[in-house]
Amino acid sequence: MPTRNKPAKSLASRRWATIIATAVALSATGAAAIGAQGEGQAGAHAPRFRFDLASKPLSQALADFSAITGVSVSAPGLAAAHRTPALRGEMTAAQALASLTQGSGLSARMTGAGSAVLVAAAPPVEMQAAGDGADGAIALDTITVQGAAVGGGVTGYLATRTSTATKTDTPLRDVPQSVSVVTRQFLDDTAARSIADATRYVPGVGVQYGEGNRDALVIRGQTTTADFFADGVRDDVQYYRDFYNIDRVEFLKGPNAMIFGRGGGGGVVNRVLNQADWQRHATISVMGGMFSDGRVQLDVGNAVNENVAVRMNAMFEKSGSYRDFVDMRRYGINPQIAFRPNDQTTIKLSYEYFHDDRTADRGIPSYNGIPFPTARGTFFGNPQVNQVVANVHAATAIVEHETEGGIRIRNYTRFADYAKFYQNEVPGVVSPGGSQVSISAYNNQTQRQNFINQTDVNFRFNTGPLDHRLLVGAETGIQNTTSVRMTGYFNNVSTTVLVPTSFPIAFDPITFRPSATDANGRTSVRYAAAYVQDQIEITKQLQVIAGLRFDSFNINYLNNLNGQTLERRDDLLSPRLGLVFKPIEPVSLYASYSISYLPQSGDQFTSLTATTQTLRPEQFTNYEVGIKYELLRNLSLTAALYLLDRKNTTAPDPVTPGLIVQTGSTRTKGFELGINGYLTDRWQVAGGYAYQDAYISSTTAAAVAGSRVPLVPRNTFSLWNKYQITDMWAAGIGVVHQTNIFAAIDNTVTLPAFTRVDAAIFVKISDTVKAQLNVENIFDVKYYPTASSNTNILPGAPRTVRLTLTGTF
């Protein structure tokens, strides 16, 4: 940074008086501009937005400001030649407007809620004094605003914007789709460390057990292990993800292949990763709790200078479990660096290494149509055999450039190398008398390399009275996967062994080797896609979003056992159409239609056969209407009604036994209600209600028509509350309720309904240290939240206490 000469004392005093007076005036204007309602909300909880604007003409900068904040600003005929300074960082709308208009001779005047006009300002008296400039005016230094709040229009538990759902920075209320955003503060307050934890208060999303070795979700009746993204790019290997390096988690419900490509039949989950952002980050947290839980997490970063910023996230955890013999050890490190070669260009680089090593826990079996009656800690199998190890190396490069004409170009490249191994002894059927249970075993090793590149170009233009935000993009990807499975043979002879249910540990010696049906192959996926989307503002009340994506998708499979090669190619057209109508300013009504496809080879593309290579892709079609209502500036209520059809699934040929036809289908009808934000200045809430009716609408290879889709409760309700009692103390309480579900598609085993209550206490020990105590399942209810099958059921955790200390430095 250049060194400045120290000004005279009187001049410095006038300079600071000017800065303070200007900041106070513009802060008051900004508070009105963001339309805060309710005493205290504009000050204590004014939304903060993340800006990354290059220096540009004032008119273009104000258009970008309005797109980010939702505040409409007009400057009729004034300062047309004024060029704004570059604006980067996290700040309120008022602070951003102050920076953009600095030196323009303008001041802001409110004309209504969420709108402002810039008018010529009389120079303050101090500005007329003799000063630095030749004309006697005092030149204000460039304002750099730093804050602790996250960007993207996030305040507390409420997010108001997304760059994922449309690939443009768009208010959530203008997205014709149900989107639930779990913010960083909410994750911290609820001590959420995993994808499963984050879903507890997200309506319409449930957890599948994932065979005890991976993240797996059920979104609107569709089970997935692959629809996970990081910054909008696929992160689709089967492993347990961590939240140590993320800003927030976005649940985008309903198929949307126009944005995300193949799959995503029920929706997708996107982790927004931390980035070096020229803000100061200096936080360390230490967690300890029951069952030998222990974790430390670090977030440090800052600006090196105005053109370079660095950041690093790191984590180490070593924890036990309420499940007997189960433990886990994982750690991760994620350094990041960002450069600004000029005012129009930013380059961001990141590398992550993540390691997860844990006991593979396959849960408990069932008996007489319900979970087997045993202690919730009982382990089935052999914990010395059961293990899961995942190693992830991921490198990303983001290049963002904005031209003088306002065209924004973003290129995102991600290379990820995944190595995953799991081995388990698995409980099976319990004997008729309930005294014995069968145990089988297998292991699986997967190696995958993903190389994915996305390029997005978006810009705004007008055609007559219509305002367009056009997105044009392309994506290419290469995914190479090697997968090897081997079967376990007890005493080197039998694939199963019986053990007593009173002590179901299998001590028999076991050997793993390939069976006749074990897979051993290499899959190569190559795809190229092009897409276009137009967000059209017809009037201030009416918007249309229309898009189309073309994917050329190729799968090549080599069977290493017999040398057989299989191939399929799919050319997919995926449309999206949405309508948003705003009858009054706080209300958005929307309707949408979207389609997604999944080629017939499983969501991991490792099950291509001579039969499936000839079948049409599965198709997911979603019809949805909804409402998004900003009850207050910092409180959002959403509701969605949808119909989701899945077709082209396989079914037995009713005429020719042994053959299959693609007449199978499922249907999910549902309603979702969500609430997020501040009920009062001190009371935050997050949660919702979901009704889901998911069933087989036409007989499939797995079940007859009328069967219920497993792991989809008819009703779920969840609500988390946090109340700030004093500046020092706060308390939280949450309720999660789920009606009964079937463990598998045959509908023979039922997991009963349950209600669980969690709580937390928060204390601010000093300006730099805070503590929180989380209690999960405070009434120690025995329940079964999910399963992988009829014989792999997860007992819920008993009452669990965790203490977290967080310090800033």
PDB file of all heavy atoms in Angstrom, residues 207-224:
ATOM      1  N   VAL A 207     -33.447 -38.347   5.314  1.00  0.00           N
ATOM      2  CA  VAL A 207     -32.148 -39.003   5.297  1.00  0.00           C
ATOM      3  C   VAL A 207     -32.326 -40.492   5.048  1.00  0.00           C
ATOM      4  O   VAL A 207     -33.201 -41.130   5.640  1.00  0.00           O
ATOM      5  CB  VAL A 207     -31.405 -38.791   6.630  1.00  0.00           C
ATOM      6  CG1 VAL A 207     -30.076 -39.541   6.644  1.00  0.00           C
ATOM      7  CG2 VAL A 207     -31.175 -37.308   6.872  1.00  0.00           C
ATOM      8  N   GLN A 208     -31.518 -41.032   4.150  1.00  0.00           N
ATOM      9  CA  GLN A 208     -31.399 -42.472   3.979  1.00  0.00           C
ATOM     10  C   GLN A 208     -30.099 -42.890   4.641  1.00  0.00           C
ATOM     11  O   GLN A 208     -29.115 -42.153   4.606  1.00  0.00           O
ATOM     12  CB  GLN A 208     -31.389 -42.832   2.484  1.00  0.00           C
ATOM     13  CG  GLN A 208     -31.810 -44.267   2.187  1.00  0.00           C
ATOM     14  CD  GLN A 208     -30.641 -45.171   1.843  1.00  0.00           C
ATOM     15  OE1 GLN A 208     -29.504 -44.882   2.192  1.00  0.00           O
ATOM     16  NE2 GLN A 208     -30.921 -46.267   1.157  1.00  0.00           N
ATOM     17  N   TYR A 209     -30.081 -44.060   5.279  1.00  0.00           N
ATOM     18  CA  TYR A 209     -28.952 -44.448   6.121  1.00  0.00           C
ATOM     19  C   TYR A 209     -27.638 -44.562   5.351  1.00  0.00           C
ATOM     20  O   TYR A 209     -26.554 -44.407   5.906  1.00  0.00           O
ATOM     21  CB  TYR A 209     -29.298 -45.761   6.823  1.00  0.00           C
ATOM     22  CG  TYR A 209     -28.339 -46.176   7.899  1.00  0.00           C
ATOM     23  CD1 TYR A 209     -27.509 -45.251   8.539  1.00  0.00           C
ATOM     24  CD2 TYR A 209     -28.258 -47.502   8.303  1.00  0.00           C
ATOM     25  CE1 TYR A 209     -26.637 -45.637   9.546  1.00  0.00           C
ATOM     26  CE2 TYR A 209     -27.388 -47.902   9.313  1.00  0.00           C
ATOM     27  CZ  TYR A 209     -26.577 -46.959   9.918  1.00  0.00           C
ATOM     28  OH  TYR A 209     -25.710 -47.350  10.909  1.00  0.00           O
ATOM     29  N   GLY A 210     -27.692 -44.816   4.051  1.00  0.00           N
ATOM     30  CA  GLY A 210     -26.468 -44.876   3.250  1.00  0.00           C
ATOM     31  C   GLY A 210     -25.559 -46.017   3.609  1.00  0.00           C
ATOM     32  O   GLY A 210     -24.340 -45.929   3.432  1.00  0.00           O
ATOM     33  N   GLU A 211     -26.136 -47.115   4.133  1.00  0.00           N
ATOM     34  CA  GLU A 211     -25.368 -48.308   4.519  1.00  0.00           C
ATOM     35  C   GLU A 211     -24.222 -47.984   5.473  1.00  0.00           C
ATOM     36  O   GLU A 211     -23.217 -48.701   5.535  1.00  0.00           O
ATOM     37  CB  GLU A 211     -24.841 -49.032   3.276  1.00  0.00           C
ATOM     38  CG  GLU A 211     -25.952 -49.556   2.387  1.00  0.00           C
ATOM     39  CD  GLU A 211     -25.438 -50.357   1.211  1.00  0.00           C
ATOM     40  OE1 GLU A 211     -24.280 -50.143   0.796  1.00  0.00           O
ATOM     41  OE2 GLU A 211     -26.188 -51.200   0.703  1.00  0.00           O
ATOM     42  N   GLY A 212     -24.363 -46.878   6.206  1.00  0.00           N
ATOM     43  CA  GLY A 212     -23.352 -46.546   7.203  1.00  0.00           C
ATOM     44  C   GLY A 212     -22.026 -46.109   6.640  1.00  0.00           C
ATOM     45  O   GLY A 212     -21.025 -46.059   7.374  1.00  0.00           O
ATOM     46  N   ASN A 213     -21.974 -45.717   5.339  1.00  0.00           N
ATOM     47  CA  ASN A 213     -20.668 -45.317   4.782  1.00  0.00           C
ATOM     48  C   ASN A 213     -20.733 -44.107   3.857  1.00  0.00           C
ATOM     49  O   ASN A 213     -19.733 -43.765   3.234  1.00  0.00           O
ATOM     50  CB  ASN A 213     -20.027 -46.496   4.039  1.00  0.00           C
ATOM     51  CG  ASN A 213     -20.808 -46.940   2.809  1.00  0.00           C
ATOM     52  OD1 ASN A 213     -20.885 -46.230   1.813  1.00  0.00           O
ATOM     53  ND2 ASN A 213     -21.403 -48.125   2.879  1.00  0.00           N
ATOM     54  N   ARG A 214     -21.879 -43.414   3.792  1.00  0.00           N
ATOM     55  CA  ARG A 214     -21.978 -42.302   2.844  1.00  0.00           C
ATOM     56  C   ARG A 214     -23.175 -41.431   3.155  1.00  0.00           C
ATOM     57  O   ARG A 214     -24.123 -41.844   3.823  1.00  0.00           O
ATOM     58  CB  ARG A 214     -22.104 -42.840   1.424  1.00  0.00           C
ATOM     59  CG  ARG A 214     -23.342 -43.727   1.235  1.00  0.00           C
ATOM     60  CD  ARG A 214     -23.409 -44.312  -0.157  1.00  0.00           C
ATOM     61  NE  ARG A 214     -24.559 -45.180  -0.371  1.00  0.00           N
ATOM     62  CZ  ARG A 214     -24.520 -46.503  -0.321  1.00  0.00           C
ATOM     63  NH1 ARG A 214     -23.376 -47.123  -0.042  1.00  0.00           N
ATOM     64  NH2 ARG A 214     -25.610 -47.218  -0.540  1.00  0.00           N
ATOM     65  N   ASP A 215     -23.145 -40.194   2.624  1.00  0.00           N
ATOM     66  CA  ASP A 215     -24.315 -39.333   2.636  1.00  0.00           C
ATOM     67  C   ASP A 215     -25.340 -39.869   1.644  1.00  0.00           C
ATOM     68  O   ASP A 215     -24.997 -40.231   0.505  1.00  0.00           O
ATOM     69  CB  ASP A 215     -23.937 -37.908   2.223  1.00  0.00           C
ATOM     70  CG  ASP A 215     -23.110 -37.188   3.277  1.00  0.00           C
ATOM     71  OD1 ASP A 215     -23.354 -37.420   4.465  1.00  0.00           O
ATOM     72  OD2 ASP A 215     -22.231 -36.394   2.894  1.00  0.00           O
ATOM     73  N   ALA A 216     -26.591 -39.915   2.051  1.00  0.00           N
ATOM     74  CA  ALA A 216     -27.673 -40.335   1.167  1.00  0.00           C
ATOM     75  C   ALA A 216     -28.947 -39.640   1.636  1.00  0.00           C
ATOM     76  O   ALA A 216     -29.242 -39.618   2.835  1.00  0.00           O
ATOM     77  CB  ALA A 216     -27.847 -41.848   1.168  1.00  0.00           C
ATOM     78  N   LEU A 217     -29.689 -39.059   0.710  1.00  0.00           N
ATOM     79  CA  LEU A 217     -30.888 -38.303   1.042  1.00  0.00           C
ATOM     80  C   LEU A 217     -32.090 -38.811   0.261  1.00  0.00           C
ATOM     81  O   LEU A 217     -31.941 -39.452  -0.791  1.00  0.00           O
ATOM     82  CB  LEU A 217     -30.690 -36.815   0.744  1.00  0.00           C
ATOM     83  CG  LEU A 217     -29.612 -36.087   1.557  1.00  0.00           C
ATOM     84  CD1 LEU A 217     -29.529 -34.631   1.133  1.00  0.00           C
ATOM     85  CD2 LEU A 217     -29.882 -36.191   3.047  1.00  0.00           C
ATOM     86  N   VAL A 218     -33.264 -38.491   0.768  1.00  0.00           N
ATOM     87  CA  VAL A 218     -34.516 -38.726   0.063  1.00  0.00           C
ATOM     88  C   VAL A 218     -35.177 -37.363  -0.106  1.00  0.00           C
ATOM     89  O   VAL A 218     -35.627 -36.749   0.863  1.00  0.00           O
ATOM     90  CB  VAL A 218     -35.442 -39.683   0.831  1.00  0.00           C
ATOM     91  CG1 VAL A 218     -36.697 -39.966   0.001  1.00  0.00           C
ATOM     92  CG2 VAL A 218     -34.728 -40.978   1.177  1.00  0.00           C
ATOM     93  N   ILE A 219     -35.208 -36.873  -1.342  1.00  0.00           N
ATOM     94  CA  ILE A 219     -35.748 -35.545  -1.641  1.00  0.00           C
ATOM     95  C   ILE A 219     -37.002 -35.728  -2.490  1.00  0.00           C
ATOM     96  O   ILE A 219     -36.932 -36.247  -3.605  1.00  0.00           O
ATOM     97  CB  ILE A 219     -34.730 -34.672  -2.388  1.00  0.00           C
ATOM     98  CG1 ILE A 219     -33.379 -34.667  -1.657  1.00  0.00           C
ATOM     99  CG2 ILE A 219     -35.255 -33.250  -2.542  1.00  0.00           C
ATOM    100  CD1 ILE A 219     -32.285 -33.921  -2.398  1.00  0.00           C
ATOM    101  N   ARG A 220     -38.115 -35.346  -1.925  1.00  0.00           N
ATOM    102  CA  ARG A 220     -39.400 -35.487  -2.618  1.00  0.00           C
ATOM    103  C   ARG A 220     -39.602 -36.906  -3.150  1.00  0.00           C
ATOM    104  O   ARG A 220     -40.020 -37.109  -4.293  1.00  0.00           O
ATOM    105  CB  ARG A 220     -39.524 -34.451  -3.734  1.00  0.00           C
ATOM    106  CG  ARG A 220     -39.652 -33.031  -3.214  1.00  0.00           C
ATOM    107  CD  ARG A 220     -39.973 -32.018  -4.297  1.00  0.00           C
ATOM    108  NE  ARG A 220     -40.262 -30.707  -3.716  1.00  0.00           N
ATOM    109  CZ  ARG A 220     -40.567 -29.618  -4.405  1.00  0.00           C
ATOM    110  NH1 ARG A 220     -40.625 -29.697  -5.725  1.00  0.00           N
ATOM    111  NH2 ARG A 220     -40.841 -28.482  -3.808  1.00  0.00           N
ATOM    112  N   GLY A 221     -39.261 -37.870  -2.328  1.00  0.00           N
ATOM    113  CA  GLY A 221     -39.496 -39.264  -2.673  1.00  0.00           C
ATOM    114  C   GLY A 221     -38.439 -39.904  -3.538  1.00  0.00           C
ATOM    115  O   GLY A 221     -38.561 -41.079  -3.884  1.00  0.00           O
ATOM    116  N   GLN A 222     -37.361 -39.184  -3.865  1.00  0.00           N
ATOM    117  CA  GLN A 222     -36.300 -39.720  -4.720  1.00  0.00           C
ATOM    118  C   GLN A 222     -35.027 -39.893  -3.890  1.00  0.00           C
ATOM    119  O   GLN A 222     -34.512 -38.929  -3.333  1.00  0.00           O
ATOM    120  CB  GLN A 222     -36.022 -38.792  -5.912  1.00  0.00           C
ATOM    121  CG  GLN A 222     -37.256 -38.280  -6.614  1.00  0.00           C
ATOM    122  CD  GLN A 222     -38.167 -39.380  -7.125  1.00  0.00           C
ATOM    123  OE1 GLN A 222     -37.708 -40.383  -7.660  1.00  0.00           O
ATOM    124  NE2 GLN A 222     -39.474 -39.181  -6.968  1.00  0.00           N
ATOM    125  N   THR A 223     -34.526 -41.114  -3.826  1.00  0.00           N
ATOM    126  CA  THR A 223     -33.308 -41.395  -3.063  1.00  0.00           C
ATOM    127  C   THR A 223     -32.080 -41.132  -3.932  1.00  0.00           C
ATOM    128  O   THR A 223     -32.036 -41.515  -5.099  1.00  0.00           O
ATOM    129  CB  THR A 223     -33.295 -42.850  -2.585  1.00  0.00           C
ATOM    130  OG1 THR A 223     -34.439 -43.080  -1.757  1.00  0.00           O
ATOM    131  CG2 THR A 223     -32.044 -43.150  -1.786  1.00  0.00           C
ATOM    132  N   THR A 224     -31.078 -40.491  -3.344  1.00  0.00           N
ATOM    133  CA  THR A 224     -29.884 -40.164  -4.115  1.00  0.00           C
ATOM    134  C   THR A 224     -28.637 -40.243  -3.253  1.00  0.00           C
ATOM    135  O   THR A 224     -28.658 -39.916  -2.065  1.00  0.00           O
ATOM    136  CB  THR A 224     -29.986 -38.754  -4.720  1.00  0.00           C
ATOM    137  OG1 THR A 224     -28.790 -38.474  -5.459  1.00  0.00           O
ATOM    138  CG2 THR A 224     -30.164 -37.690  -3.648  1.00  0.00           C
TER     139      THR A 224
END
